[in-house]
Structures are given as structure tokens and as C-alpha cells.
Amino acid sequence: MSSPAERYAAARDAAAHPETTAFAARQRFDLDPFQIEGCHALERGRSVLVAAPTGAGKTVVGEFAIHLAMQTPGDKAFYTTPMKALSNQKFRELVDVYGADQVGLLTGDTNINGNARIVVMTTEVLRNMIYAASAALRDLRYVIMDEVHYLADRFRGAVWEEVIIHLPSAVRLVSLSATVSNAEEFGDWLDTVRGDTEVIVSEIRPVPLEQHVLVRDDLLPLFDDRAGIATAQVNQELMRIRSFTGSHYDQNRRAQSYRSNRHAGRNAPRPNKGGRRPVRSANVRRIERMDRPDVVRLLERTNLLPAIFFIFSRVGCDAAVQQMRRAGMRLTTAEERAQIREFVHERTRNLQDEDLGVLGYFEWLDNLERGVASHHAGLLPAFKEVVEELFRRKLVKVVFATETLALGINMPARTVVLEKMEKFNGEARVAITSGEYTQLTGRAGRRGIDVEGHAVVQWTEGMDPQAVAALASRRTYPLNSSFRPTYNMAVNLIDMFGRARARQVLESSFAQFQADRAVVGLARQVREAEESLAGYLSAMECDRGDFADYAGIRRELSDLEKKNRQDASAPKGAREKRLKRIQSLRTRMQRHSCHNCPDREAHARWAERYWKLKRQTDRTRKQIETRTGTVARVFDRVVEVLFALEYVTGADDEIHLTEAGRTMRRIYGERDLLVAESLRQGLWKGLDAPSLAAMACCLVYEPRRDEAGSGERGLPRGAFRGAFAKTSELWAELDDLEQDHHLPGSEPLASGLAGAMHAWARGALLDRVLIDADMAAGDFVRWAKQTIDLLDQLSIVAEDGDVARTARQALDGVRRGIVAYSTM
């Protein structure tokens, strides 16, 4: 029972923050201190950055901002997410709270009630609204940026910074982030560009996480409980297992089993006698790993289901489900199986019968009824959503997933299993980082259901328990900006602010903020070095003359003699010139007034330190020069390319957009310049709808690293081939122009999916298209959605009416069947 003083403090706090008190009373859980702190800051009219572990409930602070907006008639709140799946999930949650008439959804391919007071959207949609000066921004009071740490994403991260920089100053920003090690730095930047921002960091998980290592069929704790949490000492039994052979581990297990059986009065075979420790050799038996079905049965026996197994391969996820199937695994009751069937039929009733067989629907449903499923980007989005919902309802007990599941979707488990501590990054197998480990294991522990969550790492040959413990102990990772100016960004900024002001805006980016902070540290190094250099100069002073000059001659002579020894193959003329210089320096050195000083070598030692530090300092000064104004310099190069192509005109700050530049304002994506220039040159005139869909696909598609170029084979015939050739030639010209202006350029057009997209837009059946595409249904739907996004832009910005009409026809051709179902 609380004391009178505590009750008085609580009453005073409730009176000072009545909205927080009213909001908290409606929640299923008591608010945690960091959540209350975030709500109080918003109620005081401040922006907030909340950094907390996965599953800690930071979205509650964003939901409170929506609550505040709804208290004032007419005020609006936008909730942004990095992924359409997250937007869809949040939309459904908010509809349940506020009703369908108050909540909208905008994800590029979905537009539901866009003028509502609460609108959930992807971050790109909000960026586009800001640049278009959309009327929907009127009366906007709060923007919640969920998963704001996505601004580190090298492909899409810049969008987050654009939104943060350009939002009207009156809008309060609620930034929700995973736990990052530089939250204060990010918060300082937010305070600089947005003003009055409070940083709230929580390291506490609402459901504690127990860490285990699965060795054979033993679940051993990763940390020694006796050592205490503060020391986080690794379980010494794991260290002994690493040190000994697999057979020695087996011997210890047999001995333990014998002792426990004898104590229980049972007969048991006696372990091997003899006191000698087995000698490690090349042919000792390794510790065998449990098969997946056995691991699942172990978790079931120990009440550790539901569980997510993270397998860093789609093929591996699907193979794991098949393993469960072959083992006869069935984790559900008859009643649960009936509920699963009813839910799946309801959610997939709009899928066409002829597509169900192609999608492997019936086997997928049977696996769901067994209580197992896979989850990865190759699955049809509708199938993924079904798996997520059934898992949340505790009907599916085991999910085998790639790491994409860890990215924000509300899908907690009692247990997370990591089969390996490394993954393939596209080029090589690399160890997972502490940030990835934290994100993956953060799924373990369901608030209000579990007393604790469990992370299980399966033992592998050569595993180092200390390394695993280090990953588990470090719960943070740095947030680094990936911001870079694009052509679309440049024309929008010039149109809004003019060139000089646009440069200032870019210099307020988090990228420049981080660079400038680094410069501050480097500048401090230079100042400290200059003090040391002055001390070295004083220490090498000589009463015979200028020892710094003498030391300079010695240093140059030493460098040339070393180079002469190493570069014996130099042309005869160059060697002779070098030898003459060496002889000249020797003569100067011997004639120098300091050469005969009795303290010459003592002075020389100080001089050597001086020259070594001076070289380091000169390198640091160059680093400072390259970092200062880096973002603005890239912007200047982008503008010079726009000048060369006549997207902007004028001089100095008095520049403005041409007609082509105004078209560029509404073209978003990696290939904004190529799309704009192709439209201007009329390269796509005369294409029919399937061919334009195929062309748009070539512009957005990113082939796998192992995917060979298709050349002419597989390309749609007719006008498409000529248009594709001309577009590729234009890409090469633009790439050369970018290289001339010291910009990185882009990858060539990828035609690997062109034939399949052409066939799909022409009405081909799904099975044929997926065979042509040589990819999973989920992948095809993802690229089809990106194709739709670009076609939608073309239907709006194409000045040629025929191209715009064709783009609308192509949209209808692509947005059908499983693609249409996945965009609902």
C-alpha cells in the first residue's frame, strides 16, 4: 500500500496532466514510467523521441498523441510507418478504437478515407504530400514516426530526414525508435531542427528475457545466475563444453544420468571408468544437434511455445515446415483446427480458385492446421497476414521466419530460437550484429501473458559462448544517417526556397549534423596536436642554427634513400635525377650549421616526433576539409547536372525550374532523372499498356546478385525492344554525365522481369507468369506493386496524353488477381 506522501504526489501529478491520466485509465496495462514521461512531455506541448526495446510499448506514446489531437475539433494526427504491412496493421488497430469514419489509410496503392482526422501512411506518402503542399496538411498537429531508426536504411532512409526537416514548425513530432546507442545525439539533432524535443530512453523490457543455449537436448542458461545480472558472467558449463571434446561432453552426461538414476534406485549402465581426460583429436564425434521436430517437442514439453525460429533463408524456412510435416507434427486441437480453417477461408475467399493451386494453398492450409507456418518475403502478402494473425491468436504455435519478421510487426512469441549466429549478406556469411540479435530476440515475451521471454541459441561446432554473451549484453547499436540529395529533392527545394536557402536546409540534415560533430572531435585533435608540435619545436631548438630546417633536410633525404632502395626498376633517367637530389641533400646537410652540434641526435629525436605528428595532423586537417559541408557539396553537383540538362536555369541563387524541372518535382524514386528525361524525349511514345508496364518494371526491378542478364532473350517483342534500347542508351549518357560531376551514378536497367510483367499485364495466368519470372508469388507481388507506383506517377506527370492514358491502362492490367488482392 502506498504512503500518504506517494498518494499526494500521484494526485498532484494527475491534476497537472489530466489528459495523461484519462488516457492511462483506458489502457489494458498500467503505463510504464517511460510511457508516462513521454505522455507528459506531449501534454506540455513538446515533441518527443522515445527509444525503447522491441515490445516495450513505445507506440503507446504515439497513440497518446492521437488522443490529444482528437480532443480538439478539427485537429489531425498522421501515423507514419516504414512498411505497408505495418500501416495496414496500425490502421486496423486505430479503426477499432476510433471508428472507420475517423481513420484513413494511404500507402501509395491504397487510399481509404484520406481526409480523415487520423491517417496512417507510409513515410514516402507524407514526404510527397509535403513537397506537393497538400491541403491535407492543414490543421495537422501531430506526426508519429514509428520505427524512425529506419533513417539509417541506405535506400529509403533519406525520406525520414526530409519529413523531419520540412514538416511545418507547429507540428509536434513523436519519434519512436528501437534502442540505439546514440539516442541523445539524434535527440539533439531533432531539438535543433524541430525545437523543444524531449529525449526519453528506456533500457527495460516489460517482460524479462531469459537467455539459453541448446546443447543436444539440454537447455543451458547462457549466463551464470549466481554471478548476478550486473556481471553477466557466462555459464562456466558452456565454457567447459567448448574446451572439451564432444565425446567428453557425452561422457559427462552419461555420468550425470548414472548418478541421478542410482539416487532414484534405478539400474543404469555405469559410465566409463578411468580418470584420464579424453585427448582431443580430429576424429572425435561432434556434439550432434537435435532435429527441428525434436526441438519443437522439447519446447512443447517445457511449455515454451509459441515460438519463432529465425532461419536466415527462405528455402530453409519452407524446408523446416516440410520437416515438421514429415515428422507428423500436430500441435493443435480439433477445436483450434476448426478455428484456423474458418479464419483462413474468410481471409482468402476473394482469391481465384485457379490461383489457389498455383500458390500451394491446400498444403499451406494443412500446415497451418498442424500449427506450423513459414514467414518470409516470398510469401503472398495475404498469406503472411494470415500467419501473423493466427500466431497472435495462439492458434499457430511455431513459425519459421527470416529476419524480416523482426521489423516492427506486432507478433510476439514466448520463445525465439536462433539456429545459427551468422547469415549470408549477399556476398559472404557474416556474424549477426548485436543490433540484429537484439531485434530478433526482442520478439520473445508476450506482455500480459508471459512472466518472461526466452531466447534459445542452438549450439554449433566452434561456437564461442563469450561471443554470444557479448551480443546478448550489448543491447544498443548506433543510428547513422544515410541522407543524400536526389534530383527530385533538389528541384523541390529550389522551387520552395531558392538555391542558397536549399543549401542551408540540407546542412541541417542529420547527416551533416553527425559529420559536423565528427569535425568537432577532429578539430580538438588538431588543437591538441598543435600544442604538442609547439612543444617539440621548443625541445629541438639548437644554438647553432635552425634545427627544424636541418631536420627537414634529413627527413627528405631519408625518404628519398628509402624510395631509391625500393624502386630499383625505375627508368634510368628518373633514378639519375633522384640520385642527384640525394647527393645535393647530403651536401646541404653536412654544410648545415646544426650538423656538428654535440646534441644533434637528441634534437633529432624530438624532430622525428615532430615530423611524425605533423604528418598525422595534416591528414586530420584534410579530413576536416572533406567533411565540412559534405551534403551541400553533393547538392551542388546534383544542381550542376540539372543545369546541364536544362531542368533549372538562371545564375547563382537566382535560379528557377524549367517546365522539365516542374515535371521532375512529381517523380519519386531511385531513377527520377532517367524517368523524367525519358518522358521529355518521348522514348515511350507508341508503347501499348503491357509494354509500358514492362518498361516501368525494368526501371524499378533489382535483380538478385546471382541473376544473369537476359539480353534480348525473354524481352517482349515489338515496340518495346526499340524503346528499351533507347532508354538504356539514355541511361549510359546520364551515367557518364553523373560520373563527370563526381556523382555515384546508378545501375543499368534490369530486364529480368520484363517478360513476365508484360505477360501479366496482358492477362496471362498466374502459373505461367511465376514460371517466366522464376520467383515466388510474394516477390512477384512486391515488384508488381513497385511497378504500379511508377505507372501511377506516369499517369499523372506524363505531358504526352497518350503516355498518360497508356499508363492508366497498364495500371489496370497489373492491378488484378493476387496483386489487386494484396493492395486492398
Side-chain angles (χ1 to χ4, degrees):
M1 187 174 179
S2 58
S3 68
E6 289 171 332
R7 291 198 297 273
Y8 172 74
R12 187 178 57 185
D13 188 64
H17 302 96
E19 292 298 341
T20 301
T21 303
F23 176 77
R26 299 210 311 261
Q27 304 308 303
R28 291 186 299 129
F29 307 109
D30 291 338
L31 296 190
D32 292 332
F34 85 91
Q35 294 168 326
I36 294 172
E37 189 180 351
C39 294
H40 284 178
L42 286 170
E43 196 167 355
R44 290 194 299 268
R46 308 192 72 189
S47 294
V48 293
L49 165 64
V50 180
T54 301
K58 48 188 175 288
T59 56
V60 166
V61 182
E63 290 161 4
F64 178 68
I66 295 172
H67 166 82
L68 287 178
M70 297 302 284
Q71 303 312 299
T72 304
D75 279 4
K76 294 180 179 178
F78 288 172
Y79 196 109
T80 73
T81 76
M83 295 183 294
K84 293 175 183 178
L86 283 177
S87 293
N88 294 335
Q89 187 178 89
K90 200 69 200 177
F91 170 71
R92 290 191 290 268
E93 291 174 6
L94 290 171
V95 165
D96 289 342
V97 176
Y98 293 100
D101 59 328
Q102 297 289 348
V103 185
L105 177 66
L106 298 174
T107 60
D109 53 21
T110 303
N111 186 336
I112 300 173
N113 200 16
N115 293 317
R117 292 180 60 193
I118 306 166
V119 185
V120 184
M121 61 186 68
T122 53
T123 317
E124 282 86 352
V125 169
L126 179 54
R127 185 272 310 271
N128 299 352
M129 291 170 68
I130 292 171
Y131 280 159
S134 169
L137 297 172
R138 196 177 302 122
D139 298 322
L140 179 61
R141 292 292 173 264
Y142 297 94
V143 167
I144 300 97
M145 301 194 79
D146 203 355
E147 310 285 341
V148 74
H149 50 274
Y150 257 76
L151 68 75
D153 184 88
R154 67 190 184 96
F155 297 110
R156 301 171 57 211
V159 176
W160 274 256
E161 292 191 46
E162 289 178 79
V163 168
I164 291 168
I165 292 169
H166 298 312
L167 268 177
S169 57
V171 176
R172 296 291 87 187
L173 191 66
V174 183
S175 305
L176 308 177
S177 171
T179 308
V180 292
S181 53
N182 59 337
E184 285 76 14
E185 177 190 41
F186 184 50
D188 288 347
W189 174 69
L190 288 171
D191 194 68
T192 301
V193 295
R194 302 294 312 166
D196 210 13
T197 299
E198 191 159 324
V199 179
I200 298 162
V201 178
S202 174
E203 299 281 356
I204 301 170
R205 282 176 50 98
V207 181
L209 183 65
E210 295 289 323
Q211 311 268 357
H212 312 274
V213 178
L214 178 60
V215 186
R216 288 283 289 272
D217 57 355
D218 285 346
L219 268 178
L220 303 178
L222 175 60
F223 295 106
D224 189 341
D225 294 338
R226 294 167 299 178
I229 296 172
T231 56
Q233 182 179 332
V234 179
N235 185 349
Q236 292 307 297
E237 186 174 354
L238 291 173
M239 299 306 295
R240 285 193 294 273
I241 292 169
R242 182 172 189 254
S243 301
F244 300 155
T245 65
S247 56
H248 187 225
Y249 171 67
D250 288 341
Q251 184 182 13
N252 286 341
R253 280 168 51 83
R254 286 195 295 271
Q256 291 170 2
S257 175
Y258 171 77
R259 286 192 296 270
S260 62
N261 285 334
R262 189 174 63 173
H263 180 73
R266 294 188 296 267
N267 291 325
R270 182 178 293 275
N272 293 334
K273 293 183 178 180
R276 289 188 306 164
R277 178 175 296 177
V279 178
R280 191 173 187 85
S281 65
N283 61 357
V284 297
R285 188 160 59 85
R286 296 179 177 181
I287 296 175
E288 294 179 4
R289 288 163 60 95
M290 290 181 77
D291 289 338
R292 287 190 186 112
D294 292 331
V295 175
V296 171
R297 291 187 184 103
L298 172 64
L299 297 179
E300 186 181 25
R301 285 197 307 274
T302 50
N303 196 28
L304 291 180
L305 294 181
I308 298 171
F309 284 65
F310 281 110
I311 301 173
F312 302 115
S313 148
R314 300 179 186 183
V315 173
C317 291
D318 292 336
V321 173
Q322 291 303 316
Q323 240 182 320
M324 299 298 110
R325 188 182 180 86
R326 288 194 299 271
M329 186 68 64
R330 193 173 292 281
L331 303 169
T332 53
T333 64
E335 183 182 350
E336 287 174 330
R337 290 194 288 276
Q339 291 178 45
I340 290 169
R341 276 194 302 275
E342 181 181 356
F343 180 79
V344 172
H345 290 155
E346 172 63 25
R347 293 295 292 268
T348 60
R349 70 180 189 277
N350 292 328
L351 286 173
Q352 298 173 17
D353 291 342
E354 62 266 26
D355 291 342
L356 294 179
V358 178
L359 296 169
Y361 169 85
F362 300 102
E363 185 175 304
W364 171 71
L365 174 58
D366 183 61
N367 291 331
L368 290 175
E369 290 183 23
R370 292 171 181 272
V372 297
S374 62
H375 188 289
H376 54 71
L379 276 181
L380 191 68
F383 283 17
K384 282 197 293 185
E385 290 170 11
V386 166
V387 171
E388 291 159 15
E389 184 58 33
L390 289 176
F391 192 79
R392 281 194 291 270
R393 295 186 182 191
K394 296 180 282 186
L395 294 172
V396 165
K397 317 294 184 180
V398 175
V399 169
F400 299 96
T402 57
E403 67 267 37
T404 54
L405 185 145
L407 301 176
I409 294 171
N410 180 24
M411 195 172 160
R414 176 164 293 172
T415 304
V416 163
V417 180
L418 300 181
E419 295 190 346
K420 294 181 180 178
M421 300 299 288
E422 62 179 19
K423 66 176 186 176
F424 186 69
N425 67 358
E427 296 177 351
R429 298 207 69 82
V430 296
I432 64 173
T433 65
S434 60
E436 288 168 332
Y437 184 90
T438 301
Q439 194 83 352
L440 296 168
T441 58
R443 292 280 146 217
R446 299 164 300 173
R447 189 168 188 173
I449 301 173
D450 299 322
V451 177
E452 71 226 349
H454 298 267
V456 176
V457 176
Q458 199 162 3
W459 184 274
T460 55
E461 190 70 17
M463 175 183 283
D464 181 2
Q466 292 278 18
V468 179
L471 288 180
S473 301
R474 287 197 302 270
R475 302 219 173 271
T476 58
Y477 50 99
L479 178 60
N480 294 313
S481 172
S482 60
F483 185 83
R484 61 179 178 83
T486 64
Y487 298 104
N488 170 272
M489 187 192 304
V491 294
N492 274 290
L493 290 176
I494 290 168
D495 193 50
M496 293 168 70
F497 304 116
R499 183 173 186 172
R501 172 74 179 121
R503 288 180 100 259
Q504 292 173 11
V505 167
L506 291 171
E507 285 175 343
S508 68
S509 67
F510 187 45
Q512 192 58 56
F513 186 83
Q514 288 190 304
D516 289 343
R517 286 215 161 180
V519 165
V520 170
L522 292 171
R524 184 174 64 251
Q525 290 179 30
V526 169
R527 286 196 302 273
E528 292 170 355
E530 285 172 344
E531 292 174 7
S532 298
L533 288 171
Y536 294 161
L537 278 173
S538 176
M540 67 179 174
E541 282 182 1
C542 178
D543 57 4
R544 302 285 182 99
D546 184 353
F547 200 89
D549 178 58
Y550 176 75
I553 296 170
R554 278 179 56 145
R555 165 56 51 198
E556 185 181 355
L557 178 61
S558 174
D559 289 346
L560 278 175
E561 287 177 336
K562 182 179 179 181
K563 189 173 183 180
N564 196 51
R565 288 193 300 271
Q566 293 175 344
D567 194 15
S569 61
K572 183 178 178 182
R575 283 180 61 80
E576 288 178 353
K577 184 178 179 181
R578 191 187 300 146
L579 288 169
K580 283 183 181 179
R581 178 63 178 165
I582 289 172
Q583 187 56 47
S584 171
L585 288 169
R586 281 179 182 155
T587 301
R588 282 180 59 195
M589 182 183 70
Q590 290 164 0
R591 291 176 179 176
H592 199 284
S593 57
C594 294
H595 188 63
N596 294 318
C597 174
D599 297 323
R600 182 186 71 192
E601 292 310 309
H603 295 327
R605 283 193 291 274
W606 285 108
E608 190 61 32
R609 295 174 187 171
Y610 173 86
W611 287 109
K612 184 177 180 180
L613 182 59
K614 187 175 185 305
R615 284 180 174 178
Q616 292 175 351
T617 306
D618 288 343
R619 284 196 295 269
T620 304
R621 285 197 179 99
K622 285 182 180 178
Q623 279 184 276
I624 291 173
E625 290 171 8
T626 58
R627 291 192 179 196
T628 305
T630 49
V631 177
R633 276 202 302 275
V634 174
F635 171 73
D636 287 338
R637 293 169 192 160
V638 167
V639 172
E640 290 307 313
V641 171
L642 293 171
F643 264 119
L645 295 171
E646 298 181 352
Y647 282 83
V648 296
T649 185
D652 300 324
D653 188 38
E654 296 300 317
I655 65 174
H656 55 271
L657 306 185
T658 63
E659 191 63 37
R662 282 189 285 276
T663 299
M664 169 76 79
R665 284 192 63 210
R666 295 175 292 169
I667 299 173
Y668 304 97
E670 290 290 311
R671 297 192 186 274
D672 47 8
L673 182 61
L674 180 58
V675 171
E677 196 64 7
S678 297
L679 287 174
R680 185 162 70 159
Q681 295 186 21
L683 301 187
W684 303 334
K685 286 183 179 179
L687 290 180
D688 59 12
S691 296
L692 188 58
M695 182 63 69
C697 181
C698 292
L699 291 160
V700 299
Y701 179 56
E702 296 170 13
R704 301 185 301 269
R705 290 178 183 271
D706 59 348
E707 188 175 317
S710 60
E712 290 286 309
R713 187 177 59 80
L715 289 183
R717 298 185 179 278
F720 175 86
R721 294 197 176 191
F724 180 80
K726 289 178 181 177
T727 307
S728 296
E729 289 170 11
L730 174 60
W731 167 82
E733 293 169 8
L734 295 178
D735 192 63
D736 289 343
L737 181 62
E738 289 177 316
Q739 300 286 350
D740 291 343
H741 286 84
H742 307 290
L743 290 169
S746 60
E747 293 295 317
L749 272 69
S751 61
L753 195 54
M757 193 60 68
H758 185 272
W760 178 253
R762 211 175 59 242
L765 294 176
L766 179 64
D767 58 347
R768 183 203 151 177
V769 169
L770 293 183
I771 291 170
D772 288 349
D774 188 24
M775 63 175 55
D779 291 321
F780 178 75
V781 167
R782 185 172 76 255
W783 294 120
K785 286 182 176 182
Q786 294 198 32
T787 301
I788 286 170
D789 286 346
L790 180 53
L791 288 170
D792 191 40
Q793 292 180 47
L794 296 180
S795 72
I796 296 169
V797 305
E799 295 175 9
D800 183 284
D802 290 340
V803 174
R805 278 191 297 275
T806 305
R808 286 190 286 273
Q809 293 168 7
L811 270 172
D812 293 337
V814 176
R815 193 190 281 132
R816 67 179 184 85
I818 62 169
V819 176
Y821 182 79
S822 299
T823 57
M824 294 170 64

